[in-house]
Amino acid sequence: MVQKTVWLPEIGELTLSKRRGNRNIRISISAAGRVRVGIPTWLPYSAGISFALSRKKWLLEHKAKHQILQFQNGDRIGKSFRLRYQYDSAAAKTSTRVLDTEVIVKSNKHLSHDAVQEKTRLAAERALKKEAEKLLPPRLQELARRHNFRYSSLRIKKMSSRWGSCSSRQNITLNFFLMQLPWQLIDYVLLHELVHTKHLNHSASFWHEFESVYPEAKSLRKEVNSYRPVINSVGLNMT
């Protein structure tokens, strides 16, 4: 697969993807609002750009439904980071740094510019991953010790649709977007995966065990499901 990324006014960043087997041009928007156009290998990239422009009205309507976050200077990211934007007219390009408590973005463009927003989003994801790797392992270990669960390993990564998973070998994976949730919901997800070390399905036995260690489990289930694993304005201001 060969890809090319371009920036279009109003639409923003557009990823053009050539893949063997593509017979038609297809357009899609990810959960995070990113636009992708798949085109046959024999078509020029300009054909994909023209197709996206011809669907601009549809794209803008659907991007609005995704409620794409607009980062603001000073936004909170996760539990301990703050966004600090620095305008620099002499900067050759937009640069980002993730420090101990700050995500610093420096650019010769305004923070509202789509390309700067995209760079900021990627830096914010790095910050969330850094924070998750620091805070989630001891939290999981403590909950496992307190409730007599055992797991083989822990992996933290970006997941597009799930907060966590547990394999039949008791290997737990957690989504670093968890750092945007309140701690009671983070604990819900961690205990949910720990219970899966004993019950791999969502049977009555699973829920009985889950509620025995976390009585609020069923009442919090709907609240957890109301969040999406993407960077959002709620997550930026959550404690």
Side-chain angles (χ1 to χ4, degrees), residues 72-86 95-106 120 122-128 130-131 134 236:
Q72 303 292 331
N73 191 30
D75 274 343
R76 178 180 296 171
I77 298 172
K79 306 299 181 190
S80 57
F81 289 91
R82 287 281 183 183
L83 173 62
R84 181 153 64 93
Y85 165 74
Q86 299 174 338
S95 62
T96 62
R97 288 189 296 161
V98 176
L99 304 181
D100 290 338
T101 59
E102 288 185 314
V103 175
I104 299 177
V105 178
K106 183 182 293 186
T120 303
L122 294 173
E125 288 187 2
R126 296 201 309 273
L128 290 173
K130 179 178 180 179
E131 188 172 61
K134 177 182 178 181
L236 289 177

Side-chain angles (χ1 to χ4, degrees), residues 195 204-219:
V195 175
S205 296
F206 168 87
W207 283 106
H208 177 76
E209 177 110 23
F210 196 179
E211 289 187 289
S212 71
V213 298
Y214 203 17
E216 303 87 354
K218 281 193 174 180
S219 63

Side-chain angles (χ1 to χ4, degrees), residues 30-122:
S30 72
R34 303 184 71 177
V35 181
R36 178 183 295 272
V37 175
I39 59 178
T41 55
W42 47 269
L43 273 179
Y45 287 115
S46 59
I49 294 173
S50 297
F51 185 79
L53 290 172
S54 72
R55 299 293 189 275
K56 185 169 77 171
K57 182 179 179 180
W58 179 86
L59 285 171
L60 294 178
E61 289 175 352
H62 281 72
K63 287 187 74 172
K65 290 179 181 179
H66 283 283
Q67 297 181 333
I68 305 306
L69 169 72
Q70 283 292 311
F71 288 96
Q72 303 292 331
N73 191 30
D75 274 343
R76 178 180 296 171
I77 298 172
K79 306 299 181 190
S80 57
F81 289 91
R82 287 281 183 183
L83 173 62
R84 181 153 64 93
Y85 165 74
Q86 299 174 338
Y87 175 76
D88 184 354
S89 59
K93 62 180 181 179
T94 301
S95 62
T96 62
R97 288 189 296 161
V98 176
L99 304 181
D100 290 338
T101 59
E102 288 185 314
V103 175
I104 299 177
V105 178
K106 183 182 293 186
S107 179
N108 60 3
K109 300 180 179 67
H110 193 273
L111 179 58
S112 62
H113 192 283
D114 281 0
V116 181
Q117 286 283 314
E118 176 63 11
K119 288 272 192 176
T120 303
R121 183 187 65 79
L122 294 173

